[in-house]
Amino acid sequence: MKKIKPLIVLGSLLIALTLIIPAVLVLPFSGEHRASGKLGEDIIKKAGSPAKETQAAVSAADPAVEVAVFRSAKSKIENVPLEDYLVGVVAAEMPVEFKEEALKAQALTARTYIVKRLLTKDTLGAPKGSQVTDTPIHQAYKSDDQLKKDWGAKYDEKRKKILAAVRATSGQVLTYKGEVIQAQFFSTSNGYTENSEDYWSGTYPYLRSVSSPWDKSSPKFNFQKVFSIKDFETRLGVKIGSGGTLGKVVEKTTGKRVGKVDFNGKVLTGKEIREKLDLRSSDFAWERKGNNIVITTKGFGHGVGMSQYGANGMAAEGADYKKIVKHYYQGVEITSAETMLATLTAQK
C-alpha cells in the first residue's frame, strides 16, 4: 500500500514467494546449543515529534460506487459495490471477534484507502482493468460466498456485526488539510508505530510514530525463526564470521525498530533484512546457537499507520473509533466523502 507505493508490486511479491524457502519455525527455540554470538548495537538515537488531534465527523451514505477487484485465486476481475467491498475487506483484515469500535476504525481506514485510490486513479500493483487486488498488497478482501463458507452457521450473526461497523462510518473518510490520506494499517506493533519515512521513502505528517502499548497482549507480538548460518549468510549476502558480534545495529528508527545493521562494512536497512529473511517485523534481534541463527521479532507488519491489535486494545478500554483513528493518524479529520464519491459515480 504505497504512494508510499504498495509494499511490493503484485508480480514481485509472487516471484519472491516462490524463491524464498521458509525457515524452520521454533517457538521457542529448543536447540541444545548455548548462544555464542548475537546482534550488537552502536546507534545514534533520533527524536520523535508529537502532533495534534482535531475534531470533525460527518456522516453520509455510501453512493453506488463499484470497485474493480482482481480475484487472485480465479485470475478474474469482479465489480463489487462499495459497501459490499468494505464488508469483505473488514472481514478479511480484522477478526470479527474484535470490539465494535475497532471494527468501525478498520471500516473507516478501508474506505479511506480505496477512495484515495479511486480519486487518484491509482492502479499500481493491480492487473489491467482492476483497481485493487484481493491480497494484503492492497487490502485483503473476501467475497460473500467465501464468508459463508468460513463462518458457516454463524454467517448471519458475524456479517451483521461487520455491516453495522461499515454503516456506522458510512460516507466518511480521513483527511489531512482537506486531502484524503494514505490510510496505512498493519497487524501488531512492537509498542510503537513508525514514521512513514523510516519504512518508505515518503514523509507524511499524519503518519508519525505514536505509542501503542495495547499490542503487547496480541498473540502476534512475539515470534521466533531459525535459520542455518549458511542460509542466513546467503539471503543477506554477508559473512558473519566466528566472532561474538553478528553484525551491529548502527541506527534505530523513532518507532524503536532496526534502522540499519553494519556487517563489517556492508550496511543493510532493517526493512531489507526483514524482506530478505521474511521476518514478521523490522524489530528483531538474533543470536547464534550452534550452526543456527535464532531470530526473535516483536510485532507483525510494517508498523506504519493504525495497529489493528492496538485499535482493539483501545476499544476494550472504552475508546470510540474516532479517538482510535486520531491516535494512529495524527492531525486528521473525519470528513464526508459524499461529494468525492458522487463525482466518481458521475464519471461512469
Side-chain angles (χ1 to χ4, degrees):
M1 292 164 46
K2 293 187 189 177
K3 177 183 169 190
I4 297 175
K5 296 177 181 174
L7 290 179
I8 313 171
V9 295
L10 183 59
S12 298
L13 178 63
L14 295 174
I15 292 171
L17 290 175
T18 60
L19 291 177
I20 294 176
I21 302 172
V24 179
L25 169 62
V26 181
L27 190 57
F29 179 69
S30 56
E32 298 177 356
H33 301 281
R34 292 184 177 181
S36 58
K38 61 184 180 179
L39 176 63
E41 282 194 12
D42 185 9
I43 62 176
I44 299 175
K45 295 181 179 179
K46 294 189 288 185
S49 56
K52 302 175 182 178
E53 282 191 1
T54 56
Q55 303 276 336
V58 185
S59 295
D62 288 330
V65 173
E66 288 190 335
V67 181
V69 185
F70 181 77
R71 306 309 311 281
S72 304
K74 302 176 182 178
S75 292
K76 62 178 289 187
I77 297 170
E78 292 180 3
N79 292 311
V80 185
L82 179 58
E83 184 176 272
D84 293 340
Y85 172 71
L86 293 173
V87 168
V89 169
V90 176
E93 287 282 3
M94 181 174 275
V96 68
E97 294 78 17
F98 273 22
K99 299 294 184 181
E100 288 83 355
E101 295 302 313
L103 291 168
K104 290 177 188 178
Q106 182 66 67
L108 178 53
T109 59
R111 183 184 296 101
T112 301
Y113 176 77
I114 191 59
V115 167
K116 179 74 169 179
R117 282 183 72 89
L118 295 177
L119 288 173
T120 59
K121 302 187 187 315
D122 179 9
T123 58
L124 189 60
K128 185 176 180 180
S130 66
Q131 292 158 324
V132 286
T133 65
D134 58 4
T135 71
I137 197 144
H138 296 119
Q139 298 189 120
Y141 163 81
K142 289 186 176 183
S143 68
D144 208 45
D145 287 341
Q146 287 175 290
L147 296 179
K148 286 178 180 177
K149 183 177 180 180
D150 290 349
W151 292 338
K154 292 190 175 181
Y155 165 78
D156 288 335
E157 172 191 343
K158 291 184 175 183
R159 189 180 189 281
K160 181 179 179 181
K161 183 178 180 181
I162 291 178
L163 180 60
V166 171
R167 289 184 173 173
T169 63
S170 184
Q172 298 175 6
V173 291
L174 295 167
T175 60
Y176 182 84
K177 293 186 177 180
E179 296 292 326
V180 181
I181 73 167
Q182 296 282 351
Q184 307 294 319
F185 57 87
F186 62 99
S187 170
T188 303
S189 82
N190 64 342
Y192 300 86
T193 66
E194 284 278 59
N195 287 337
S196 57
E197 66 274 16
D198 285 339
Y199 200 81
W200 291 300
S201 58
T203 299
Y204 292 79
Y206 48 84
L207 294 176
R208 301 295 86 199
S209 177
V210 298
S211 65
S212 188
W214 310 276
D215 302 68
K216 293 177 182 178
S217 61
S218 166
K220 301 178 181 180
F221 184 73
N222 289 304
F223 198 70
Q224 215 172 68
K225 282 186 90 167
V226 180
F227 296 85
S228 69
I229 290 176
K230 182 179 179 181
D231 189 20
F232 180 88
E233 292 179 326
T234 299
R235 291 187 185 214
L236 297 184
V238 301
K239 290 291 183 182
I240 59 175
S242 57
T245 301
L246 313 179
K248 185 176 290 184
V249 176
V250 293
E251 182 179 299
K252 278 208 162 184
T253 67
T254 305
K256 304 187 185 303
R257 292 166 179 79
V258 175
K260 294 179 181 178
V261 179
D262 187 341
F263 294 92
N264 299 315
K266 180 173 181 177
V267 178
L268 295 175
T269 66
K271 179 183 178 182
E272 288 172 332
I273 293 171
R274 181 196 174 205
E275 292 175 351
K276 289 175 183 292
L277 298 180
D278 192 25
L279 302 178
R280 285 190 168 190
S281 168
S282 53
D283 182 348
F284 52 78
W286 59 61
E287 58 185 2
R288 177 171 38 215
K289 290 192 176 182
N291 294 320
N292 294 313
I293 303 293
V294 183
I295 303 180
T296 303
T297 56
K298 289 184 180 180
F300 193 174
H302 49 67
V304 181
M306 186 182 76
S307 163
Q308 293 169 316
Y309 273 87
N312 195 52
M314 288 187 71
E317 291 182 355
D320 65 12
Y321 77 94
K322 299 172 188 176
K323 185 174 181 179
I324 292 169
V325 296
K326 289 182 178 181
H327 174 71
Y328 287 108
Y329 305 107
Q330 294 283 287
V332 299
E333 295 182 353
I334 300 172
T335 305
S336 171
E338 186 174 12
T339 301
M340 307 172 199
L341 293 172
T343 300
L344 292 171
T345 304
Q347 290 174 355
K348 291 189 175 184

